[in-house]
Amino acid sequence: MPILKSLGVADPKVPRAGTLPLRSSRNPFEEVPGLEEDEVGELGSLPNGTSCRRRATLEKLAGLAPFRLGWTPGRRAGSPGDGQSRSFLGRVLTPGIRRSSADFGLLARLQGTRAQGDEEVAGEAARRLAFLRLGRGPKPRRASLAERVVPAGEAAPEPPPKVPEPPKMKEPLSVLEILSLIQQRELARADEHILELEAEELASSGGGAPGPPGAEGAAGGRRARDVALLYEALQRELWALVRETLAGPGPGAGAGAGAVAQLGQVLVQEEAADGRRGPGAARQLRARWAEAVARAARERLEAAAPGAPGGLAGQLEALRARLLEDMGVVRGRLAPAYPAGLGAFGVYLRGYHGALADWLGAAARRRLPLADRYALLHWHNQVYPREVLGLVDLVALENGELGPLLSPGTLRGLEDECVTDVKAQTRAALLRVLQENEEHWGSTKEQPSSLAQDVCELLEEHTERAPRISQEFGERMAHCCLGGLAEFLQSFQQRVERFHENPGVRELLPDRYISRTISLVNCGPPLRALAERLARVGPPESEPAREAAASALDRVTRLCHRVLADLLFQELQPHFNKLMRRKWLNSPEALDGIVGTLGAQALALRRMQDEPYQALVAELHRRALVEYVRPLLRGRLRCRSARTRSRVAGRLREDAAQLQRLFRRLESQASWLDAVVPHLAEILQLEDTPSIQVEVGVLVRDYPDIRRKHVAALLDIRGLHNTAARQEILAVARDLELSEGGALSPPRDRAFFSDISVPRPPFCLGLPLFLGRLPLSRLTRPGLACLPRLRPPFPSRSPTQR
C-alpha cells in the first residue's frame, strides 16, 4: 500500500479531499474476478530485510488477465502484446485520467487482499517510533540558514518571491463515485460529471487517437453503457424526489427544498445540454419531469379518493381537499425552490389537472346513479372552477388556460342521462303520490292533504340542483319537470272529477266532503306557482306545457268552487224564495237569513288559501246578487203607484248596502257588483223619461251583458205602460247593443244579467179588439188584462236566405 501511495495511487478505503467515501468495493456495472492468493509468489527479500511481496504484487497487477486482451500465461508485464495492461497501469497511476468501473472494482478487490498484512506492519512501526520519541526528548531548535549567513547587526534580505504553483489538475470521478453522488442526492454535481463522461464518450467516438479497432469499440461501448445506466439512476432519484416532496414538508423541509433546487438545476443543465446534442439525441428531461409530476399527482389523487365515505360525492370532496393541500405545498415550498424559467407551478398545476381529468373521465364512463351524476356535474362545473382554480393565478401559466376536465360530448351525455332518469323517476313517483293521496279522499278520518307539498318537493329537488350546474342544464331540467307536472295535473283533474261525480261520498260524508273539497282546491296555488316558475326558467317551447298545467288547475278550481257554491246556495234557497214579496217589503227577515248563513259558512271557507278563497268569495258575491235580482226581474213584485215604487227602491238600497258590508267583511274583490242594485232602484224610482234613459244607459255601459228584455221587464215592474216612453227607453238599450254588437261577451266572472232568464213580456189587450169576436162570458177581466204578446210576423225573405 505505501508503494501505491508513492506511485500516486490513492487508497480506495481513504477518501480524497472533495470526494465521497465509497459504499462498496464491488463495481455495480461489471463483476471483476479477484486475485487468488497463490498467484502472488514470494520473490525473496530486499537488502533491508523486508519482503518484496508488494513489488511482486505490482508486477502481477501489470499483467492481470481481465484487463489485457490476448493475455497468455507466462507473459511478462511490458512484453510485446501487453498494450492493454500498460493502458490499465496508465489509467490507474496517471493523474487526470478517469477510472472506469472495472478499474475501480479491481483496486477495491486488491485492497481487500492486502488489508490484513499492511495493518500489522504499520502497527509495529508506529509502536517503535513512539518509544524512541519518549527516550530522546524534545528536538532542539536549529538556526535558520539566514541567521548563519547574515552577520549580526545586519538586516536579513527579503525572501525571494514565491513562484505560483501550477493549478492542480482535477481528477475525474469514476462511474461508481458518480453513482454514489446520485445515491446521496447530490444530483446537480452528479449530473455535471455525467455530462463530462458523455462528452468524453462523444469525443472518443467522434475522432480520438487511433488504436486497435477491437479495443476502441469495447471501450466506447462500455462508456456509452455507463452513461445510459447513470442517466437511469439519476432519473430514478429525480422522479422519486418529485413523489417525496409532494407527500408533505415533514421534518426535513429545508433539506427537501435543497433537493428540489438541485432537481431544478439538473433540469436547467440538461436543457442546455439538449441544445448541444441536437434534436435527435436530446434527452428531454424537462418533458419527462412534467410526466413524472403528472404520475405523482395521479398517485396522490388515487390514494385520496377510495377511502372517502359518502359515495362519489365524498370522493370528490376528498379530491378537492387533496388538491388544495398539494397545491398549497407547491405554491409555498416547491415552486420557489425551482429556477424561475422552468414555470414549476404551471407544470404541477397541469399535472394535477390532467390526473383529475383522467379520474373524472373514468368515473363518467361508469353507470352512475342519478345522485352521483348530479354530484359529478356540479363538482365539474362549479366546485372545481370556484374553489380550486379560483385560488390559482391562471395568468402565470405559460400556455394559457387549462383545457376542460371533461369533453363537451361527455358532459352532454351525462346531462341527457340525468334528464331521462328524472323524467322516468318523477312520473312514477308523482303517480304513486297521487294514488296514495286519493285513497284518503273517501276516508272518514280527518287527515290533512300533503299532495301539493309532496309534488313540489319531488320536482324542486331537480329544478333547484340543475341551475346550479349550468344555466342550459337548468332550462332543460325545467322543461322536463314542467312536462311531467302537466301530465300529472291532467291525471289529477280526472280523479277530482270522478270524486265529485260519486253521489255516495256527498251523501254519506257531507262534512268530510266539504273539507276534502277545500283541501283539493288548496293544491292549486303551489302547483300553479311551480308551473309558472318552471315556465320562466325553461325554454320558449315550455309554454304549451304551462298552458296545459294551468288549464287543468283551472278546471279543478272551478269544479270545486261550483260544488261548494251549490251546497251553500241550496241552504240559502229558502231565504231567496222570500224575496220580492210583500212580506219582504215590510220585514228584513229574508235578507237577515241570507247574511247570517253566508257569514257562518265563510268561517269554513277561511281554511282555503288566499287565491282560491278570493275567487270563491267573488263567485259567491256574484251569485248572491244574481239570486237577489232574479225574482225582481221575473216580475214577482209589481209597482202600481209612485209610493210603492219609492218603497221598493228604498228597500233595494238598504239590502244592497247590507250585502255590500257582508262581502267587504268576507274580503270580496268583486266591487263591480256593488252598483247593480242601486241602478235598478234608481230606474224604479225616477219619474221622467230622460232621467230613466240616462240611468238605463249607465246600466248598459257598466253591465254589457244586459239586454232589452231585462230593461223591458224592469219597466213592467215599474208599471210603465206608455208605449212611446217605453220605446224611447228601450231605444237606448237597443242603440248600445248595436254599437257593441261586435264586442266579445264578458268573461264568466264578469257576467251578471246573462245568468238571469226573463219570461216573455206580456201586453194588454183592448176591449174594442175583442168586443165583437170573443164572448165576454168566456173571459174574466183579469184574463183580458194581460195575455202573451203576439210575435210579429217575420219579414219576407228570399229562398236563399231561408
Side-chain angles (χ1 to χ4, degrees):
M1 196 61 64
I3 296 174
L4 290 176
K5 292 181 180 179
S6 65
L7 292 176
V9 180
D11 188 353
K13 299 183 69 175
V14 181
R16 296 190 307 274
T19 63
L20 295 173
L22 299 178
R23 297 185 179 180
S24 172
S25 62
R26 186 176 300 274
N27 188 351
F29 300 92
E30 181 179 1
E31 185 67 26
V32 180
L35 296 177
E36 299 295 337
E37 187 67 27
D38 56 1
E39 293 182 6
V40 184
E42 293 292 339
L43 300 179
S45 301
L46 295 177
N48 58 0
T50 61
S51 172
C52 61
R53 179 179 180 177
R54 298 182 183 177
R55 185 178 303 168
T57 303
L58 288 177
E59 291 176 359
K60 285 287 185 179
L61 183 64
L64 283 177
F67 298 91
R68 182 162 56 89
L69 296 177
W71 175 84
T72 57
R75 180 175 294 179
R76 295 180 57 190
S79 61
D82 200 22
Q84 179 68 17
S85 59
R86 283 197 301 272
S87 64
F88 166 74
L89 282 179
R91 291 195 303 269
V92 173
L93 304 179
T94 305
I97 301 302
R98 184 183 305 277
R99 297 185 300 277
S100 69
S101 57
D103 302 340
F104 197 87
L106 173 62
L107 292 180
R109 294 295 300 272
L110 290 177
Q111 172 62 19
T113 60
R114 297 194 301 262
Q116 183 176 3
D118 293 340
E119 290 176 0
E120 294 177 357
V121 175
E124 183 179 357
R127 286 193 298 271
R128 291 178 181 178
L129 289 176
F131 175 76
L132 292 176
R133 290 193 192 97
L134 289 175
R136 188 172 53 186
K139 184 177 180 180
R141 179 181 178 277
R142 294 181 180 181
S144 65
L145 181 61
E147 291 176 351
R148 285 180 287 179
V149 174
V150 179
E154 295 183 6
E158 295 182 358
K162 295 182 179 180
V163 179
E165 298 180 357
K168 296 182 179 180
M169 184 178 298
K170 183 178 179 182
E171 184 178 358
L173 299 183
S174 68
V175 174
L176 187 59
E177 289 172 323
I178 297 174
L179 178 63
S180 178
L181 292 179
I182 294 174
Q183 293 173 350
Q184 296 177 11
R185 292 284 174 88
E186 296 187 24
L187 304 176
R189 186 179 168 198
D191 184 62
E192 292 176 358
H193 288 284
I194 295 174
L195 291 175
E196 293 175 1
L197 183 60
E198 185 182 25
E200 294 176 6
E201 190 269 334
L202 292 175
S204 64
S205 63
E216 194 66 34
R222 180 186 298 277
R223 192 177 289 111
R225 187 169 62 253
D226 289 349
V227 171
L229 293 173
L230 285 173
Y231 265 116
E232 290 180 5
L234 177 64
Q235 291 184 56
R236 281 195 299 269
E237 292 297 327
L238 290 175
W239 312 152
L241 181 62
V242 170
R243 292 192 302 271
E244 294 169 6
T245 51
L246 278 175
V260 172
Q262 289 200 47
L263 191 156
Q265 185 177 352
V266 169
L267 295 177
V268 172
Q269 294 172 179
E270 288 295 329
E271 191 171 14
D274 283 345
R276 297 190 298 269
R277 294 182 183 117
R283 297 190 180 274
Q284 300 179 350
L285 251 64
R286 185 169 179 178
R288 297 183 181 181
W289 166 59
E291 296 173 359
V293 169
R295 287 194 301 270
R298 186 177 300 108
E299 294 174 0
R300 294 280 295 168
L301 295 181
E302 291 176 354
L312 185 62
Q315 295 178 8
L316 292 172
E317 179 61 24
L319 289 179
R320 184 192 67 84
R322 178 58 57 88
L323 280 168
L324 293 178
E325 176 187 354
D326 289 0
M327 295 312 298
V329 171
V330 172
R331 180 190 292 274
R333 185 167 56 87
L334 300 183
Y338 282 97
L342 294 177
F345 185 77
V347 171
Y348 276 87
L349 180 59
R350 292 183 188 280
Y352 273 91
H353 185 81
L356 184 62
D358 295 340
W359 194 95
L360 293 180
R365 287 188 292 271
R366 299 196 302 267
R367 179 60 183 173
L368 299 174
L370 180 60
D372 287 350
R373 281 198 294 271
Y374 270 133
L376 181 59
L377 288 171
H378 181 259
W379 199 91
H380 175 275
N381 289 14
Q382 298 298 327
V383 176
Y384 182 68
R386 182 180 63 249
E387 300 186 14
V388 179
L389 297 184
L391 306 177
V392 176
D393 185 12
L394 295 179
V395 180
L397 295 178
E398 294 180 354
N399 299 327
E401 297 183 357
L402 299 171
L405 290 175
L406 296 176
S407 64
T410 303
L411 292 176
R412 183 73 176 189
L414 288 173
E415 292 178 0
D416 292 342
E417 293 176 0
C418 286
V419 171
T420 303
D421 288 355
V422 166
K423 183 181 297 184
Q425 292 182 12
T426 53
R427 178 182 301 173
L430 291 175
L431 292 179
R432 183 175 61 254
V433 168
L434 180 58
Q435 184 175 359
E436 293 175 356
N437 195 271
E438 186 183 12
E439 294 176 355
H440 301 289
W441 291 356
S443 175
T444 58
K445 296 180 180 180
E446 183 69 23
Q447 184 174 358
S449 175
S450 60
L451 178 63
Q453 181 180 356
D454 295 341
V455 171
C456 292
E457 289 178 356
L458 283 173
L459 296 180
E460 287 174 353
E461 178 185 359
H462 307 288
T463 58
E464 291 179 359
R465 296 184 66 176
R468 291 198 294 263
I469 295 174
S470 67
Q471 181 180 358
E472 180 184 1
F473 184 49
E475 293 178 357
R476 295 182 61 195
M477 187 59 68
H479 179 62
C480 169
C481 292
L482 183 57
L485 178 62
E487 183 179 351
F488 163 78
L489 290 178
Q490 291 173 358
S491 178
F492 174 64
Q493 172 201 341
Q494 296 172 1
R495 298 183 184 229
V496 170
E497 291 174 351
R498 288 201 302 265
F499 171 73
H500 288 299
E501 290 172 357
N502 186 3
V505 177
R506 183 182 306 184
E507 295 175 359
L508 296 177
L509 304 169
D511 296 335
R512 293 288 182 269
Y513 181 75
I514 294 176
S515 177
R516 186 60 60 190
T517 303
I518 292 175
S519 66
L520 292 176
V521 173
N522 286 338
C523 294
L527 296 178
R528 189 185 301 273
L530 177 61
E532 295 292 338
R533 185 167 64 253
L534 294 179
R536 287 194 301 269
V537 175
E541 52 267 23
S542 301
E543 186 62 22
R546 185 201 66 81
E547 294 177 354
S551 176
L553 288 174
D554 289 341
R555 291 191 184 96
V556 170
T557 302
R558 285 197 299 267
L559 175 60
C560 293
H561 282 176
R562 187 175 70 250
V563 168
L564 293 175
D566 290 343
L567 292 176
L568 179 58
F569 279 92
Q570 285 179 6
E571 186 176 353
L572 291 174
Q573 193 60 42
H575 301 286
F576 282 112
N577 291 335
K578 299 177 181 179
L579 294 176
M580 308 304 164
R581 300 183 184 275
R582 294 191 178 275
K583 186 177 181 180
W584 162 79
L585 193 59
N586 298 322
S587 172
E589 177 183 355
L591 190 64
D592 291 343
I594 294 173
V595 172
T597 304
L598 283 173
Q601 293 295 334
L603 297 177
L605 300 179
R606 288 288 184 179
R607 293 178 296 172
M608 198 176 295
Q609 294 193 17
D610 289 341
E611 182 181 352
Y613 174 78
Q614 295 293 339
L616 178 59
V617 169
E619 177 63 16
L620 293 178
H621 192 176
R622 189 190 70 85
R623 285 191 62 174
L625 289 179
V626 167
E627 296 297 330
Y628 182 86
V629 174
R630 189 191 305 274
L632 177 64
L633 295 183
R634 280 183 171 272
R636 187 179 294 179
L637 182 65
R638 299 283 181 170
C639 301
R640 300 183 182 276
S641 62
R643 181 173 176 275
T644 304
R645 289 196 299 271
S646 178
R647 290 183 61 194
V648 171
R651 189 65 188 170
L652 290 175
R653 293 191 185 95
E654 292 177 3
D655 291 351
Q658 190 173 358
L659 290 173
Q660 184 177 353
R661 288 192 298 269
L662 169 66
F663 285 104
R664 283 183 179 177
R665 190 169 67 250
L666 298 180
E667 301 177 2
S668 171
Q669 303 296 326
S671 57
W672 61 278
L673 294 169
D674 294 339
V676 60
V677 176
H679 280 317
L680 298 178
E682 288 294 327
I683 293 174
L684 291 177
Q685 189 174 8
L686 291 174
E687 296 295 336
D688 55 317
T689 301
S691 299
I692 296 175
Q693 287 179 320
V694 172
E695 197 64 32
V696 168
V698 173
L699 184 63
V700 174
R701 182 197 62 192
D702 293 344
Y703 303 94
D705 60 336
I706 194 172
R707 296 294 178 260
R708 282 179 294 175
K709 60 182 180 179
H710 299 104
V711 178
L714 192 59
L715 296 179
D716 292 338
I717 296 168
R718 190 182 185 282
L720 182 60
H721 301 294
N722 188 343
T723 304
R726 288 175 66 94
Q727 293 300 327
E728 292 177 2
I729 296 172
L730 292 176
V732 175
R734 184 180 63 253
D735 293 341
L736 291 175
E737 286 179 11
L738 294 177
S739 64
E740 298 179 358
L744 297 177
S745 301
R748 176 65 185 169
D749 56 349
R750 302 284 294 184
F752 186 84
F753 287 98
S754 58
D755 287 349
I756 301 174
S757 59
V758 178
R760 185 173 300 166
F763 72 98
C764 296
L765 293 176
L767 284 178
L769 181 62
F770 287 91
L771 189 58
R773 298 181 184 180
L774 294 176
L776 295 179
S777 59
R778 300 281 304 270
L779 293 175
T780 59
R781 190 169 183 84
L784 286 175
C786 296
L787 288 175
R789 178 174 296 179
L790 297 177
R791 177 177 297 178
F794 289 102
S796 60
R797 293 180 295 178
S798 63
T800 58
Q801 292 177 342
R802 295 178 185 177

